[in-house]
């Protein structure tokens, strides 16, 4: 008669005990093998999960902020040029414009009357003798003298070389008068205006002796524009 299920279950503990008592080494080896296989399966599962995580992380695009734009190097700045130092005016600047002409002029004399010709000084050849529009004329009506035909003249206390146009012009009377007669015996330097409005100065260089009867006078003239 076949065994019932209840009888088979009752005999299994006895079968395990007999197997354990007869083959303990085999059972231990089988248990160790089963445990090792289980552990290996667990390790493989863990490794598989880590690989999946690594693959997922590599598949995701990395998000990084853009590196900051490089700062351009400072541009060298050119030093601001210093203004040139102020220079004191030279003697030429203080003296004003240079004379346009300088030289001696000879004026004829006629005894007891003014000369009928004089030196014209406004043209290109100053000192040319002319009967009209002349600027300086000799006069021997009483004593040798120089007539300033424009009627504007003034004595100055400076030497001829120390004068300039502005100083001379400032010393002249604003309006013309009768032509002044400047004695040849009088020392000094005189500013005058020409008939065309120019400015000049002169000094008498040939002073005759009182006993002489001169036929001319020589004056040194400086002319400005």
């Amino acid at each position: 008669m076949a065994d019932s299920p209840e009888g088979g279950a009752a005999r299994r503990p006895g079968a395990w005990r007999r197997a354990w008592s007869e083959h303990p080494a085999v059972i231990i080896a089988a248990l160790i093998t089963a445990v090792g296989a289980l552990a290996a399966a667990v390790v493989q599962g863990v490794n598989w999960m880590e690989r999946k995580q690594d693959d997922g992380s590599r598949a995701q695009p990395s998000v990084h902020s853009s590196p900051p734009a490089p700062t351009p190097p400072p541009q060298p700045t050119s030093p601001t040029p210093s203004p040139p130092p102020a220079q004191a005016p030279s003697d030429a600047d203080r003296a004003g414009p240079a004379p346009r002409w300088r030289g001696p002029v000879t004026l004829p004399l006629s005894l007891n009357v003014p000369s009928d010709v004089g030196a014209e000084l406004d043209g290109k050849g100053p000192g040319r003798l002319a009967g009209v529009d002349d600027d300086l004329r000799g006069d021997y009506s009483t004593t040798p003298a120089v007539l300033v035909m424009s009627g504007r003249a003034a004595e100055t206390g400076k030497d001829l070389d120390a004068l300039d146009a502005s100083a001379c012009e400032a010393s002249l009377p604003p309006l013309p008068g009768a032509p002044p007669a400047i004695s040849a015996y009088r020392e000094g330097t005189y500013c005058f205006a020409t008939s065309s409005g120019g400015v000049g100065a002169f000094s008498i260089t040939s002073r005759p002796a009182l006993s002489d009867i001169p036929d001319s006078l020589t004056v040194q003239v400086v002319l400005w524009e």
Side-chain angles (χ1 to χ4, degrees):
M1 184 173 62
D3 293 335
S4 63
E6 288 83 0
R11 286 196 295 272
R12 284 175 188 167
W16 282 106
R17 281 194 294 272
R18 283 196 305 273
W20 174 258
S21 63
E22 293 175 359
H23 307 288
V26 175
I27 294 173
I28 292 173
L31 291 174
I32 292 174
T33 301
V35 172
L38 180 60
V42 172
V43 170
Q44 289 179 356
V46 171
N47 291 338
W48 181 82
M49 292 297 294
E50 291 179 349
R51 284 197 300 272
K52 290 293 287 181
Q53 292 177 354
D54 292 340
D55 293 342
S57 62
R58 284 195 295 268
Q60 294 178 356
S62 58
V63 179
H64 298 286
S65 59
S66 300
T71 302
Q75 297 295 325
T77 57
S78 301
T80 303
S82 301
Q87 295 182 350
S90 63
D91 292 340
D93 294 334
R94 285 191 292 266
R100 71 175 177 89
W101 187 82
R102 179 192 298 265
V105 172
T106 299
L107 304 175
L109 292 174
S110 298
L111 187 61
N112 298 326
V113 294
S115 177
D116 58 355
V117 295
E120 193 273 323
L121 302 174
D122 284 318
K124 293 183 179 179
R128 179 179 62 88
L129 295 179
V132 293
D133 295 332
D134 53 319
D135 298 295
L136 299 179
R137 182 177 295 198
D139 181 12
Y140 205 173
S141 299
T142 53
T143 60
V146 175
L147 292 175
V148 179
M149 304 304 291
S150 68
R152 297 176 65 203
E155 186 174 4
T156 172
K158 295 182 179 180
D159 293 334
L160 196 64
D161 293 336
L163 290 172
D164 58 66
S166 59
C168 247
E169 188 169 13
S171 68
L172 296 176
L175 298 175
I182 299 168
S183 173
Y185 301 117
R186 184 180 177 87
E187 295 183 357
T189 302
Y190 300 86
C191 291
F192 69 98
T194 67
S195 58
S196 296
V199 178
F202 72 90
S203 61
I204 300 173
T205 57
S206 61
R207 294 182 180 87
L210 293 176
S211 58
D212 291 345
I213 303 177
D215 59 1
S216 66
L217 288 175
T218 301
V219 295
Q220 183 71 17
V221 178
V222 176
L223 298 174
W224 296 277
E225 295 293 344

